Amino acid sequence: MLGLKLLTDPRWANIAEGNLEEILTDHAWCEQKAATNAITLITYNSEHEDLVTQLTEIAVEEMQHFQMVHNIIKERGYTLGRERRDDYVGQLLKFLKKDGSRNESFIDRLLLAAMIEARSCERFRVLSENIKDEELAKFYRELMISEAGHYMTFLKLAKKYSTDVDVDKRWKQWLDYEGEIITNYGKKETIHG
């Protein structure tokens, strides 16, 4: 369903499980950044009423996920560490169209969000199927389903609001690019690392 070119090696889950405090902290900040991204998209595209409605729901849900992860961190006696830089997202940002029309930029931002949600969904699946911690395995299964919905929302919005972008063609380019850069990741206890 996601179309990702390269799936995460299930052994990455062992790396993540080896430092749960780090993966949970990174995950919490990923949720905060996802909420911020949805709000930013609303801010710059507020003329699209259904986009505002749908992305408000996503922003709220992402902050609820942040709260859920933070609660797990507290329950386990961990500390929410400082925000982490996400190198994977930094690499994706390099692929954004910078010299096109306003609509091209808008659509690319939606596709960027879809890409991040797709990879997060896939990573949550790997965690849900491969970690020994039953509570977290169930938690990540539930979040996997949520992220899949977000991924679909961003893709549908891109298709709805495109005026001068072949969204299917551009999405394929995003998948190809992500397939190249993801080979550098899956080695650290971070959601995208």
Side-chain angles (χ1 to χ4, degrees):
M1 173 185 102
L2 300 171
L4 298 172
K5 300 293 183 184
L6 182 66
L7 299 180
T8 300
D9 185 327
R11 292 176 292 186
W12 167 77
N14 299 331
I15 296 168
E17 196 163 27
N19 191 346
L20 289 177
E21 186 170 13
E22 180 61 27
I23 192 79
L24 289 167
T25 289
D26 182 71
H27 178 191
W29 290 116
C30 286
E31 298 291 356
Q32 178 273 324
K33 290 172 194 169
T36 299
N37 183 58
I39 293 166
T40 300
L41 281 163
I42 290 168
T43 302
Y44 289 108
N45 303 283
S46 58
E47 68 274 18
H48 303 300
E49 187 176 318
D50 66 326
L51 175 137
V52 172
T53 300
Q54 291 180 61
L55 294 191
T56 297
E57 291 170 5
I58 287 178
V60 169
E61 190 172 324
E62 298 289 17
M63 283 311 297
Q64 289 170 339
H65 293 170
F66 176 89
Q67 183 178 36
M68 292 163 71
V69 177
H70 186 234
N71 286 341
I72 292 170
I73 288 170
K74 291 186 300 185
E75 288 165 7
R76 291 173 179 235
Y78 301 148
T79 301
L80 175 65
R82 304 288 296 174
E83 180 184 1
R84 310 305 201 248
R85 199 173 115 230
D86 193 326
D87 293 327
Y88 166 79
V89 173
Q91 289 298 312
L92 289 178
L93 286 168
K94 293 178 182 179
F95 196 64
L96 280 173
K97 292 227 182 230
K98 295 171 182 63
D99 57 357
S101 69
R102 182 179 188 281
N103 186 255
E104 284 178 302
S105 176
F106 170 40
I107 299 308
D108 238 28
R109 284 280 173 183
L110 290 169
L111 294 178
L112 167 67
M115 187 82 263
I116 296 167
E117 296 286 349
R119 181 55 69 185
S120 298
C121 175
E122 190 264 349
R123 288 287 170 94
F124 292 164
R125 180 192 58 77
V126 170
L127 287 171
S128 73
E129 293 175 355
N130 293 286
I131 61 174
K132 295 174 186 76
D133 186 308
E134 291 180 21
E135 177 191 0
L136 286 180
K138 182 176 184 255
F139 176 66
Y140 280 113
R141 172 106 180 116
E142 291 168 4
L143 289 188
M144 174 194 74
I145 295 164
S146 175
E147 299 297 295
H150 297 172
Y151 150 79
M152 293 300 298
T153 297
F154 284 113
L155 272 183
K156 286 177 185 173
L157 289 170
K159 289 179 181 183
K160 178 174 184 173
Y161 290 113
S162 175
T163 59
D164 57 358
V165 178
D166 180 335
V167 174
D168 290 331
K169 179 180 176 184
R170 184 61 178 153
W171 180 241
K172 184 183 177 319
Q173 292 169 347
W174 271 103
L175 289 169
D176 290 343
Y177 177 76
E178 199 269 354
E180 292 171 15
I181 68 165
I182 199 64
T183 60
N184 298 317
Y185 298 94
K187 301 168 182 81
K188 297 189 313 188
E189 59 279 325
T190 60
I191 296 299
H192 301 123

